[in-house]
Amino acid sequence: MHIQETFRALADPTRREILMHLSRQEMTIGEVTERFEITRAAVKKHLNILEEGQLISVHVQGRERINRLEAQGLSAVSDWIGYFDQFWDQRLGALKTAVEDAEKTKRKSIKGRI
Amino acid sequence: MHIQETFRALADPTRREILMHLSRQEMTIGEVTERFEITRAAVKKHLNILEEGQLISVHVQGRERINRLEAQGLSAVSDWIGYFDQFWDQRLGALKTAVEDAEKTKRKSIKGRI
DNA sequence: TTTATACAATACCTTTTGGTATCATGTCAA
DNA sequence: TTGACATGATACCAAAAGGTATTGTATAAA
């Protein structure tokens, strides 16, 4: 699927910051570039990668390219993370019935998840 | 914080596969290596990066190192993603009151998020 | 029709990344 | 003690990543 592209896109701090900006309002490449201290070409590359990860969509309007935050990528990551919940739920169930496992199990981290 | 290390750790497909294996049972480095076709040294590097991202914890037992899935990293990512929910909620509210925006807004993707 | 603007695309550079190979260290068992 | 085993650590390599500079193209405006 595209989950690899999405995780790759999220791995860079500049790209995550771009997503933060786009969450407040959609922007052209130029407007995004104003908010950083790198060249427009570098920003464009980041936007390409964000688009590949389905984290943004691009809408051409005349000579401008409007970049808009898109939910698909992030919800795919949410789903991926959700896969692990069942295992933590299992562990929690084990805690209830088997008290002797209490020492080995990290209660704090499990609680933080719920 | 450590969110950069966590996102970085999740960006590699081999590391995500390691997490999948560890979700079923904790393993030594050797046991993880058996499940891949790369060297033990490469696996060790991946495990180091997963530990930096607080996605696993390591427990020394004699001459063995037990690698265990840890919730902290993934819940940090969940929280990060959660930040965006408010903006999608806002957009959804706007949809309810302003029907003329219907064309511009991608309903499908918003729905998928809820 | 010019001219300025917003972007696309490519070549090039440096650093990081994922991998191997190799050697050193600590621990279990005979 | 000695050998086998599980791991740690380092040097090295090719490819990918993040960046700049430069050149080209399409569109808005004078």
Side-chain angles (χ1 to χ4, degrees):
Chain A
M1 323 286 241
H2 59 276
I3 195 70
Q4 172 54 35
E5 283 69 26
T6 305
F7 272 116
R8 180 210 173 199
L10 290 174
D12 182 87
T14 300
R15 286 195 288 269
R16 292 198 305 276
E17 203 179 336
I18 290 176
L19 291 181
M20 290 289 184
H21 285 301
L22 292 182
S23 73
R24 292 179 177 79
Q25 66 178 93
E26 51 191 39
M27 298 180 193
T28 65
I29 297 180
E31 288 170 331
V32 174
T33 304
E34 289 173 10
R35 284 153 175 88
F36 293 88
E37 292 187 342
I38 55 180
T39 62
R40 190 198 341 260
V43 169
K44 177 58 162 64
K45 281 190 183 180
H46 284 310
L47 291 171
N48 283 342
I49 293 172
L50 286 169
E51 193 179 6
E52 286 170 14
Q54 299 186 244
L55 290 159
I56 67 171
S57 60
V58 181
H59 306 269
V60 177
Q61 222 166 66
R63 64 180 165 181
E64 292 183 336
R65 268 171 74 97
I66 311 292
N67 299 278
R68 179 188 303 162
L69 186 64
E70 212 56 56
Q72 299 176 48
L74 288 182
S75 74
V77 172
S78 282
D79 292 347
W80 187 89
I81 291 178
Y83 168 83
F84 292 92
D85 289 340
Q86 56 180 313
F87 297 101
W88 283 310
D89 289 349
Q90 278 177 213
R91 277 207 216 169
L92 187 65
L95 265 178
K96 284 177 184 166
T97 54
V99 188
E100 69 268 21
D101 288 334
E103 281 183 75
K104 285 186 175 179
T105 309
K106 296 231 165 173
R107 292 164 177 284
K108 193 182 157 196
S109 58
I110 288 179
K111 273 191 185 168
R113 203 42 227 158
I114 298 170
Chain B
M1 324 287 233
H2 58 276
I3 194 71
Q4 171 55 35
E5 282 70 26
T6 306
F7 272 116
R8 178 210 173 198
L10 289 173
D12 182 87
T14 301
R15 286 195 287 268
R16 292 198 304 277
E17 203 178 336
I18 290 176
L19 291 181
M20 290 289 184
H21 286 299
L22 292 182
S23 73
R24 292 180 176 81
Q25 67 178 93
E26 50 191 39
M27 298 180 192
T28 65
I29 297 181
E31 288 171 331
V32 174
T33 304
E34 287 173 10
R35 286 155 173 86
F36 294 88
E37 291 185 344
I38 56 179
T39 62
R40 190 179 44 75
V43 170
K44 176 58 163 65
K45 281 191 183 179
H46 284 310
L47 290 171
N48 283 341
I49 292 172
L50 287 170
E51 194 179 5
E52 286 170 15
Q54 300 186 246
L55 290 160
I56 66 170
S57 59
V58 182
H59 307 270
V60 178
Q61 222 169 67
R63 63 180 166 182
E64 291 182 335
R65 270 171 74 98
I66 311 293
N67 299 277
R68 180 187 302 162
L69 185 66
E70 211 57 55
Q72 301 176 47
L74 289 182
S75 73
V77 172
S78 282
D79 293 347
W80 187 88
I81 291 177
Y83 168 83
F84 292 92
D85 288 340
Q86 55 179 314
F87 296 100
W88 282 310
D89 289 349
Q90 279 176 214
R91 278 208 217 167
L92 187 64
L95 263 178
K96 283 177 184 167
T97 54
V99 187
E100 68 269 22
D101 288 334
E103 280 184 76
K104 286 188 174 179
T105 309
K106 295 233 162 171
R107 294 163 175 284
K108 194 183 158 195
S109 58
I110 289 179
K111 274 191 184 169
R113 201 46 228 152
I114 299 171

